[in-house]
Every structure is written in structure tokens, then in C-alpha cells.
Amino acid sequence: MMRRTIHKGFIGSIAAVALLAACQKESVNSDGGSPYGEPVLPAISFAEERALTPGKGFANDEITIKGKGFLAVKDRLVIQFGGTAGTIVSVTDSTVKVRIPELGSTGAVSAQVGQEFYYGPFFPVLGPLQMDTVYPGFRGANGQILNVMPVPGDKYMIAGSFTEYDNSAIKGGVNRLARINADGTLDRTYTYGENLGPTGGYIRPMVYLPDEKKYLIGGSFSGYDQVTNVHCIAKVNTNGGVDNVSVLRPSGATVATSALAGGFRGGVREIFLQKDGKIMVVGDFKFYVKPNYKLQTVELKTDSMHLDSTAVFQIARLHPDGELDSSYHYDLANHQGKVTVNAPISSAVLLPDDKLLIAGNFTTYGGQPAPHIARLNPDGTLDQSFNPGSGADLVIFDMLVQPDGKIICAGRFTRFNGAKAIGLVRLEANGAIDPTFNVGDGADGYALKINRLPGGELLVAGIFRKFAGVSRNNFVVLTAEGAVHKSYNSNGGITNGFVEQVIPMVGQKAALMVGSFTQFDFRSANRIVKMKYQ
């Protein structure tokens, strides 16, 4: 099939000519032929059946393409696998023998003759990083999965905005938090059903509390399991159900409320547990809120409740019981948190020394320059020993801190501290650019997420069609130095949606990837996929 590009203005001209011809009978050819001349036939065509032999292969394998017309255009013929040209070995009029290129990927095999493109059959390119087709990701979730976390028992917690998983058929569904088995099926020993889980919104951050054997979760919700005043952060029991306590009211009645003393008004994006048990929280919030049940109305002497609010801005620290820690970046005189960033935080990492690394769309912290990235001391003040210079020229969406302490940033930026950095840059622990990391021209769109496999390979996801000139569908694997990996990029990538998280699976050479996508490697994968690697 031949694809042509026709500009809108040309289409309009054709329409005008056609209308004029319809109104003037004398313009019709007397011999009944087309007034536009004979149609242009395609130079080549693929065979209708078994056009590719074999039907799949690895890089450097030789395949035979069947069709017709190849010999006449052999000097201009290019055969592509996922947008990357293969090496043509031989050509006859009805066959082309071609070697699969090193960076070829799954997708439709295409032929190019000059400016003409012909699309052939679907062809899977195999490699050491492949989707596990046995894993039931095609059932998956009916909404976004925003996070995945390994938990004891060879299981995984998933969180997001979904209300169903694994076609469970449970009355009331699977509400935004679920535990799944290593094989991808729903763990039904966890509690699901009607009136359970958060009230609306979503769940994103999750932390396992080994001493309590509970999960600390955050997101955007104002209730949980019909327990009121559970504001954007909660503890959840190992087998489900919010951790709550009974509070005695002045009348003698009791009310169930969150086991945490307070929460936040606004979304919680990240939660970290410090070594001393204190809880670091990062999000879009502007207030810490705490219910006060010890009130009564003046006239009727009936029980009353007031939600006490304290202004805190995007970052706060809580004591283990959920009380606000006023020793962290707090103005004691005015009873409110001190000013933090001037725009949203997209990513945060708690470092081993309890310093907090933050990145996003902000340019200041506490009124001081912080060009889309900053490091905070354990008391919340700006760490001046971290010096990124002029930093990123645009937003940083995600960060990855390597085992050696170096920091990889992913985003929409094109420069970092004045140097070229197309969407990805690696920094030394002190904020200086690491010149040994180079992604060349990077993504032709932008990078949203960066993750790392145990072998050092980097998984980058975002919105792009090419990376460093190589055709890739929103997903690429890089070497530790930033080059497109020559063997890990045979998959067809993500063709619908976004990636939120990738984690290695415990005890397996595999990784779980979650997000909003519904297709990976041109196969159904409803917001979750298992990738096997070598």
C-alpha cells in the first residue's frame, strides 16, 4: 500500500475543479475516460499471505519478504523494522532477503522507495527484554495504577484510581488499593468489597511498616472504609481495612476516626519513613488538618467537631502518631509552616542522611533560587552545599538516585546549567553535571519517568517517537552511560498511555511496569505488564 501526503489546500483545489466539472457537461471526455488520467500504480507490493518468512526473529536474523516489483527499485529500496533500516542481502522481483537491524523493533515491516512508503505485515522482533505474555496483564485494572510495591509473602501492593482488578467480580469492586500475587492474579486474602477503601480520588505513595505490619498510604481522599476525617494519608492493616481508633465524645458517645492524628487538605504525592520513625510527606497540600471531637454546641450541648487547620506548604514532617512536627521548617511565632517552593513538586527522594531531594516546576525555595531542583537539610532548610548552578531550563518530572549517589533527572528541559541536556541529565551528588552521561539528542518529545534495572540498564518512558534518532514508542532502554541499548530495545514500546512506575520483581529476572497504558509491545496490557530480561 502506498502512502502519499496531500496538503489541505490541494484537496480544496481538487474539490473546486470537481464541482466545476459537474456543472459543465462539455468538460467530460467523450470517450468516457477519467478526466484526471490513469491512476498511479504502486511500485511494489507485499504478498497477501506469508509475506514474511520466518514470522518472527532476533536482531541479525535473515528473513525473506515476498511480493512483487522489488527488482526495478532495488537501488532505492529500504526495508525497516519498527522504523530502523535493515541490511538488504539480495533482491529478486518477487523476494527480498534482509537482515533484521540491531535496533529493529516489533511492529509493521515497512518498505520505502524514495518518498513512497509501503506498510507490510506485523513482525515481532525478539530480544533479551520481552513482555511476559503468560502474565495476565491483559485483564489488569480498569483505571490508572500509580504505584507498585513489593511486600512480604512474594506479593505486591498496587495503588491508583482503579475500581476493579483481574475481573474479580467482587461486589463493590477493588477500590484503588489491592494486593496481587507474583503471578499477577488478585490476592483474595486481602479485603475488598462494598463501602471499603478510600472515598473517591486516588492512592499513590505506599510505605510498608515492618514493625507494625501495616501499610502507610497517601493520595487524595477524605474518608476510608466509611471512617470519616481520613485526610489524604492513612494506615491500612495488612489484610485490608483502615487502621482506626474510637474517640470518646463529651456526651459519652464514641466515634471511629483515623489512627493517625491528622492529615492534609490537598493531594499527597510522596511519603517517606525516616530512621527515627518520623514521616516525611510531600504533595500539593497547603494545610495540615486535625479533627477535634471534644467540642459541644453552646446552646444544645450536643457533640460537635471542628477540623483544626495549620498552614503548611507542600512539605511537612509528622511524628509517628500523625501529629505535625513543628520542629521541621516551621514558623513558631506565626504557627504555620515556612514558605517552600513557588510551583509544584513532581518528584522527591529521601536520601540516606535524611536529606530530601526535590524536583519539579519550581524556581525558588523559601524565596531563594532553586532552579527546578533542590536538596533540603534534615530541618527543612535549603542545603547550600548542593549546587546545580542555573539548573534545568524547564520542568523536571522524575529523578532516580543511583546506588553510587549520582542523580539522573528526566523532564522537558533542553539545557542544564547552560549545557545541552535533552530531557535527561546525570548529576554528581553535589549537583554538578556528570559529563560521562550522554543521551545525544535524547527524546523528540520529553521523558516522564526514569527507572533502573539491577544490571544498571535505564528504563525511560515518556511521550516521544524517537530517542537519539532511533524510532521508539514512548519507551526506551539505555545503557548506564545514556546510549540507546543495542539489544534491549526490540519491543514495540508503549502505544497508548503513560508509565508511572517500574520495579524489579523479587527473586526474578523480571520487572513490573504500571501506569495508565493499555498496550505494550502492541499487545493488550491493562495498566500493568511484566517484562522479563536477561
Side-chain angles (χ1 to χ4, degrees):
M1 180 175 66
M2 181 168 62
R3 185 178 74 180
R4 293 178 176 177
T5 301
I6 302 177
H7 297 287
K8 291 183 179 179
F10 183 51
I11 294 173
S13 299
I14 291 175
V17 171
L19 180 61
L20 182 62
C23 296
Q24 296 179 350
K25 292 183 180 180
E26 62 270 25
S27 66
V28 179
N29 293 349
S30 60
D31 62 2
S34 169
Y36 307 112
E38 294 301 319
V40 179
L41 298 176
I44 64 172
S45 62
F46 290 90
E48 293 185 2
E49 295 183 4
R50 296 184 62 82
L52 306 178
T53 306
K56 57 185 176 182
F58 291 87
N60 297 314
D61 283 357
E62 187 178 294
I63 70 164
T64 300
I65 301 174
K66 297 179 182 178
K68 62 181 180 180
F70 299 126
L71 192 59
V73 298
K74 70 173 185 176
D75 293 334
R76 296 183 294 146
L77 182 63
V78 178
I79 302 295
Q80 297 180 331
F81 295 78
T84 301
T87 302
I88 294 177
V89 178
S90 64
V91 180
T92 70
D93 190 61
S94 59
T95 63
V96 178
K97 289 187 176 181
V98 59
R99 189 168 291 114
I100 301 170
E102 195 171 44
L103 289 169
S105 58
T106 294
V109 170
S110 63
Q112 182 179 356
V113 180
Q115 297 302 310
E116 298 173 356
F117 291 83
Y118 304 83
Y119 290 91
F122 180 82
F123 185 85
V125 178
L126 308 176
L129 178 70
Q130 290 285 317
M131 176 180 178
D132 184 346
T133 56
V134 176
Y135 193 86
F138 64 92
R139 296 199 297 267
N142 68 343
Q144 293 183 91
I145 302 178
L146 299 173
N147 201 359
V148 58
M149 173 182 74
V151 293
D154 196 23
K155 300 177 189 293
Y156 297 83
M157 294 298 296
I158 58 172
S161 59
F162 56 87
T163 56
E164 179 60 289
Y165 182 84
D166 196 23
N167 297 338
S168 72
I170 294 172
K171 187 177 180 181
V174 178
N175 188 10
R176 296 168 174 83
L177 186 68
R179 191 165 62 205
I180 63 176
N181 299 309
D183 64 3
T185 57
L186 184 68
D187 177 9
R188 292 175 181 261
T189 66
Y190 194 82
T191 305
Y192 315 99
E194 285 189 294
N195 301 320
L196 299 177
T199 304
Y202 59 86
I203 298 173
R204 183 189 296 272
M206 301 180 290
V207 177
Y208 180 62
L209 306 174
D211 293 342
E212 300 182 52
K213 293 184 171 55
K214 293 176 182 177
Y215 308 119
L216 187 61
I217 63 167
S220 176
F221 47 86
S222 58
Y224 204 104
D225 292 353
Q226 295 191 306
V227 175
T228 59
N229 292 308
V230 184
H231 294 280
C232 298
I233 187 169
K235 283 184 182 178
V236 178
N237 297 315
T238 305
N239 290 323
V242 68
D243 189 14
N244 62 86
V245 294
S246 292
V247 175
L248 184 66
R249 311 295 299 276
S251 67
T254 60
V255 62
T257 190
S258 173
L260 292 175
F264 297 92
R265 185 172 293 161
V268 169
R269 185 174 188 86
E270 302 284 359
I271 297 175
F272 304 105
L273 196 64
Q274 292 187 330
K275 291 187 288 290
D276 60 3
K278 290 185 178 181
I279 303 163
M280 288 295 307
V281 185
V282 179
D284 303 321
F285 51 82
K286 293 184 178 180
F287 291 95
Y288 170 81
V289 293
K290 178 182 176 181
N292 183 351
Y293 292 103
K294 299 186 180 298
L295 304 175
Q296 283 189 317
T297 59
V298 175
E299 294 181 357
L300 301 178
K301 300 296 182 183
T302 57
D303 290 334
S304 179
M305 189 278 293
H306 184 265
L307 202 61
D308 297 331
S309 298
T310 304
V312 290
F313 308 104
Q314 292 97 5
I315 305 171
R317 188 166 66 192
L318 306 180
H319 292 287
D321 63 358
E323 288 280 0
L324 182 65
D325 181 2
S326 59
S327 69
Y328 185 85
H329 203 61
Y330 193 80
D331 184 345
L332 290 170
N334 293 304
H335 304 290
Q336 66 177 33
K338 294 179 181 178
V339 173
T340 58
V341 292
N342 63 337
I345 298 170
S346 302
S347 181
V349 179
L350 185 67
L351 301 173
D353 58 2
D354 278 345
K355 291 185 178 182
L356 186 68
L357 190 67
I358 58 172
N361 203 28
F362 55 85
T363 56
T364 63
Y365 179 88
Q368 300 178 73
H372 303 288
I373 187 169
R375 190 169 67 197
L376 310 181
N377 292 312
D379 63 356
T381 57
L382 192 64
D383 181 2
Q384 300 290 355
S385 67
F386 182 80
N387 183 15
S390 60
D393 60 347
L394 288 171
V395 60
I396 296 174
F397 290 123
D398 196 22
M399 293 184 297
L400 168 72
V401 177
Q402 297 184 165
D404 61 2
K406 292 185 179 183
I407 306 155
I408 303 179
C409 302
R412 204 169 185 171
F413 52 86
T414 58
R415 303 189 74 80
F416 196 97
N417 196 21
K420 177 183 175 182
I422 310 296
L424 286 169
V425 67
R426 186 162 66 192
L427 309 178
E428 303 288 352
N430 64 2
I433 293 176
D434 175 7
T436 66
F437 185 81
N438 184 8
V439 298
D441 289 334
D444 62 356
Y446 49 91
L448 290 171
K449 290 290 176 180
I450 175 79
N451 298 91
R452 182 181 182 274
L453 293 178
E457 300 86 1
L458 303 172
L459 279 60
V460 179
I463 302 174
F464 49 84
R465 285 292 172 264
K466 285 183 178 292
F467 195 97
V470 178
S471 293
R472 297 303 301 145
N473 287 320
N474 308 317
F475 180 83
V476 65
V477 183
L478 307 180
T479 66
E481 292 74 36
V484 176
H485 201 291
K486 290 184 177 180
S487 61
Y488 269 42
N489 282 290
S490 62
N491 64 80
I494 295 163
T495 48
N496 189 13
F498 306 102
V499 171
E500 291 289 345
Q501 182 65 280
V502 183
I503 62 163
M505 296 186 74
V506 178
Q508 299 187 49
K509 285 193 172 182
L512 284 180
M513 181 166 68
V514 299
S516 62
F517 56 85
T518 57
Q519 200 172 61
F520 180 77
D521 200 25
F522 297 100
R523 296 181 174 97
S524 292
N526 279 313
R527 290 96 186 180
I528 187 168
V529 65
K530 177 182 176 182
M531 298 179 292
K532 298 186 294 185
Y533 55 84
Q534 296 176 9

